[in-house]
Amino acid sequence: MRNTLGDLNDYLFAEMERLDDEELKGDDLAQEIGRAHAIGKVAQAISANSNTVLRTVELQAKVRGADVDTPHMLEG
């Protein structure tokens, strides 16, 4: 993963595809569900952090004008 929000989106969709595997059953399915829950919690934390960064950039743009650099984590 290259650590962009676009990469996070790709990673989440990849997890959805793993969960959609109809041959995944029993303990393997339970393990994948546990993994999906963990990934979901991390994704929520990343999204919350990104929203904080975005609000900060918006405030800086309002105070300083339009000359605010977009943080790398919000690109892509």
Side-chain angles (χ1 to χ4, degrees):
M1 190 158 68
R2 293 181 309 265
N3 299 323
T4 67
L5 295 178
D7 296 327
L8 174 60
N9 192 52
D10 292 342
Y11 197 70
L12 292 172
F13 276 107
E15 179 58 37
M16 282 181 46
E17 289 176 13
R18 286 190 296 273
L19 287 170
D20 193 40
D21 181 356
E22 293 182 15
E23 294 184 16
L24 198 59
K25 299 192 186 318
D27 289 341
D28 290 337
L29 178 58
Q31 184 177 10
E32 195 62 46
I33 290 170
R35 178 181 165 154
H37 283 289
I39 289 171
K41 287 185 179 218
V42 171
Q44 285 177 343
I46 291 169
S47 294
N49 184 57
S50 296
N51 283 329
T52 300
V53 171
L54 178 60
R55 286 193 310 268
T56 301
V57 169
E58 289 173 338
L59 180 60
Q60 286 176 341
K62 185 176 179 180
V63 171
R64 295 184 189 166
D67 292 338
V68 178
D69 293 330
T70 301
H72 174 70
M73 68 182 295
L74 297 179
E75 295 175 349

